Amino acid sequence: MSNTTMLILVTILGIALLLFLVMRSKLQAFVALLISSIFIGVLSGMDLNDLIATMEEGMGGTLGFIAVVVGLGAMFGEMLRVSGGAERLALTLVNKFGDGKVQWALGLTGFIVAIPVFLDVALVILIPIVYSLAQKTKKSLLYFGIPLLAGLAVTHSFIPPTPGPISVASIINADLGWVILFGAIAGLPAMIIAGPIFGKYISKKIHLEVPKYIVDKEYLENEVEKTNRELPSFKTVCLLILIPLFLILINTVFGLILEEGTFVHSFLTFIGHPFIALTISTLLTFYILGTKRGYTKEEVQNIATKSLEPAGIIILITGAGGVFKQTLIDSGVGDVLGNMLATSNLPLVLAAFIISTFVRIAQGSATVAMITAAGLMSPIINLMEVSEPMLGLIVISIASGATVFSHVNDSGFWLVNRFFGMTEKQTLQTWTVMETIIGFVGFAVVFAISFFV
């Protein structure tokens, strides 16, 4: 057996082991990625001491960026949640758009809110508004719920600083400015088609009432009334969410225009780095939505500390993804995969989508699918001359593949199933189709753009 054939076989076995550990053994993805990395390293013939050094390099190199960005993003999002900023966005947009275009308001709300707030948390915050609208209008819950879910899902997968695209960008060394730009370009049409358009269609096919276990109408009215307490202003919330995105985009755009070495270039590069951009926005959020509105310093500190609990596992899983990537590179698997892809003439964007789709369908977790696909693509990218814009497109392509075909092995499937009171069949007809539309529309957009980059 040739060395190339052996490395390909080892890679296939390593991925199969990863899927088995996550799906069948229900092992935490962090541990499963580490075990699979060790498995590939040992079977490919790496020196054991070198393998340990590779694991340290992969973990440290990835977490040096991810830990800071995800940590700051989590604190920013939690402060927005606690202060009622998410509710303010939803209520203002619903009122501004009016009854006739409330679907569009909910889709846009989800799109904006999910930038700093995790999808499941955002859904918990906003679902009472959907319940109330459904009861008031007597329309299917899906008429309002699908647009909101589409907005949340698109941003969760496509727009940094959410963990998925941040992790992929870190692993393949993509510039976040390009990721944000292409994520928005691909995400908005995906949200429109999968949200208001598909929501209007499917709500005529499946009529859902507010779930019986959601107490009663009085509860819903109280939930919506609670969101009318002294909330932060709409403009303030929008400004705080857009500040880090704006600074990162400025860094990317003016980095191409201005001459390197000048003071302006250095200054914009500094404030536009994700570390600085998110630090600025997080500190402003603590002050404007926290201490300025009556929170004590101790309360703000407790909010920040609590926010890091769910972020911890995301950081570790991403770090393990960095180990997986580095093992593929140092074991020689990356060279083999790169040469195979080069001779196959398969576009990088398409290869990235196919790989992440396969992992997504097999094991369910979008985050694991993104990280695994990024780990497999990284050594291939290292062998080729890939431009910064193309790296951004590859990130969104991976995110698109990791979004499609959400089914019973995905925690998001059951989250929506519970909040909407649907059967498994109805969840497949609604949530699964919506996620698949998002993924394929997002991929179609970036694939088209890739011909011009």
Side-chain angles (χ1 to χ4, degrees):
M1 181 184 298
S2 67
N3 186 54
T4 298
T5 304
M6 185 196 74
L7 288 176
I8 293 173
L9 180 60
V10 167
T11 305
I12 293 172
L13 291 174
I15 296 172
L17 175 63
L18 172 63
L19 297 178
F20 172 80
L21 292 174
V22 174
M23 293 169 57
R24 296 295 182 184
S25 300
K26 302 300 180 184
L27 200 63
Q28 172 53 244
F30 166 66
V31 180
L33 280 163
L34 290 180
I35 292 174
S36 300
S37 300
I38 294 170
F39 177 86
I40 290 174
V42 171
L43 262 66
S44 64
M46 288 183 69
D47 180 84
L48 297 183
N49 290 325
D50 290 343
L51 177 57
I52 295 298
T54 290
M55 294 178 69
E56 290 179 357
E57 181 182 352
M59 180 68 74
T62 303
L63 291 189
F65 178 79
I66 286 294
V68 177
V69 175
V70 173
L72 287 169
M75 290 188 284
F76 176 25
E78 182 67 8
M79 193 70 243
L80 187 72
R81 182 192 72 81
V82 171
S83 67
E87 291 97 331
R88 167 57 69 204
L89 275 172
L91 292 172
T92 301
L93 288 173
V94 167
N95 290 334
K96 291 286 186 183
F97 276 69
D99 293 340
K101 297 181 179 178
V102 70
Q103 283 186 301
W104 297 86
L106 289 168
L108 187 57
T109 297
F111 191 89
I112 297 173
V113 169
I115 293 173
V117 182
F118 293 145
L119 184 148
D120 52 349
V121 176
L123 181 58
V124 171
I125 296 170
L126 299 174
I127 195 66
I129 296 172
V130 173
Y131 290 154
S132 179
L133 287 169
Q135 283 208 332
K136 185 174 73 173
T137 62
K138 305 302 179 184
K139 292 185 177 181
S140 173
L141 194 60
L142 296 171
Y143 183 83
F144 305 103
I146 289 294
L148 175 64
L149 288 172
L152 294 173
V154 164
T155 302
H156 179 74
S157 295
F158 291 179
I159 312 290
T162 53
I166 280 283
S167 302
V168 176
S170 174
I171 291 172
I172 69 171
N173 297 316
D175 182 273
L176 284 186
W178 289 112
V179 177
I180 292 170
L181 178 63
F182 291 134
I185 292 173
L188 284 171
M191 183 273 288
I192 291 170
I193 296 172
I197 294 176
F198 175 66
K200 185 175 182 180
Y201 166 79
I202 198 64
S203 64
K204 295 177 181 178
K205 303 292 181 180
I206 302 174
H207 185 84
L208 293 179
E209 303 286 347
V210 175
K212 293 180 180 179
Y213 50 80
I214 303 297
V215 201
D216 54 25
K217 186 176 181 180
E218 184 180 352
Y219 161 80
L220 296 176
E221 291 174 348
N222 289 339
E223 283 295 307
V224 175
E225 189 175 336
K226 274 164 45 181
T227 63
N228 282 312
R229 63 193 186 279
E230 288 189 31
L231 300 176
S233 72
F234 176 77
K235 290 181 180 178
T236 298
V237 174
C238 285
L239 181 64
L240 289 171
I241 291 175
L242 293 176
I243 281 175
L245 303 183
F246 180 70
L247 290 176
I248 293 170
L249 283 171
I250 279 183
N251 175 26
T252 300
V253 173
F254 284 95
L256 298 173
I257 298 173
L258 299 176
E259 183 181 349
E260 288 189 28
T262 63
F263 171 77
V264 176
H265 180 275
S266 298
F267 177 73
L268 292 178
T269 300
F270 176 73
I271 65 169
H273 190 282
F275 286 5
I276 306 303
L278 279 169
T279 297
I280 291 171
S281 58
T282 302
L283 290 176
L284 285 173
T285 303
F286 284 165
Y287 173 69
I288 295 173
L289 300 185
T291 53
K292 191 177 180 181
R293 301 185 70 247
Y295 288 90
T296 65
K297 293 179 180 178
E298 289 74 19
E299 287 174 330
V300 172
Q301 184 181 42
N302 290 335
I303 291 169
T305 301
K306 183 180 178 182
S307 71
L308 295 177
E309 294 175 4
I313 189 59
I314 294 171
I315 290 170
L316 286 176
I317 291 174
T318 306
V323 173
F324 186 72
K325 172 205 75 172
Q326 198 62 43
T327 304
L328 292 175
I329 293 173
D330 292 353
S331 66
V333 169
D335 293 338
V336 172
L337 294 177
N339 292 330
M340 286 178 59
L341 189 60
T343 56
S344 70
N345 294 321
L346 192 67
L348 286 175
V349 171
L350 179 57
F353 178 76
I354 292 172
I355 292 171
S356 59
T357 297
F358 170 76
V359 181
R360 162 67 157 175
I361 295 171
Q363 57 77 48
S365 169
T367 301
V368 175
M370 287 189 199
I371 291 171
T372 303
L376 289 167
M377 290 299 298
S378 178
I380 299 171
I381 291 169
N382 290 341
L383 293 176
M384 303 181 180
E385 291 186 8
V386 182
S387 66
E388 287 290 343
M390 181 59 75
L391 287 175
L393 291 174
I394 291 172
V395 172
I396 304 304
S397 182
I398 288 174
S400 298
T403 302
V404 300
F405 301 121
S406 168
H407 60 97
V408 295
N409 61 359
D410 177 19
S411 60
F413 179 94
W414 296 108
L415 182 73
V416 173
N417 174 275
R418 183 174 75 250
F419 275 114
F420 284 74
M422 293 187 285
T423 64
E424 285 78 6
K425 180 181 177 181
Q426 289 173 330
T427 313
L428 287 168
Q429 293 172 318
T430 55
W431 165 259
T432 301
V433 174
M434 182 206 78
E435 284 273 270
T436 304
I437 292 172
I438 290 172
F440 276 104
V441 171
F443 170 70
V445 172
V446 296
F447 188 65
I449 295 173
S450 69
F451 289 100
F452 303 96
V453 171

